Amino acid sequence: MVLGDGLTQAPATFVILFPTQILAVVPVVLPGTYSVLVTPPGGTDTTAPPTLLVL
């Protein structure tokens, strides 16, 4: 799992809770909106990535 703001990327530690649910520990980043990229066993998902707002 990687967080990205368009300029930089930061890896996040994660645990898979269920097939559709992940618990992630986000690294220290500046406030802003970050995209969340999850690469499943079959490869990178090509749909629009979800975002995370850090206050």
Side-chain angles (χ1 to χ4, degrees):
M1 170 177 276
V2 176
L3 297 178
D5 63 1
L7 300 174
T8 59
Q9 293 185 344
T13 304
F14 67 94
V15 175
I16 298 172
L17 300 176
F18 299 100
T20 58
Q21 204 171 41
I22 297 171
L23 173 66
V25 177
V26 179
V28 176
V29 292
L30 294 174
T33 301
Y34 293 84
S35 60
V36 179
L37 176 62
V38 178
T39 304
T44 303
D45 187 358
T46 58
T47 60
T51 58
L52 170 71
L53 176 61
V54 176
L55 302 175

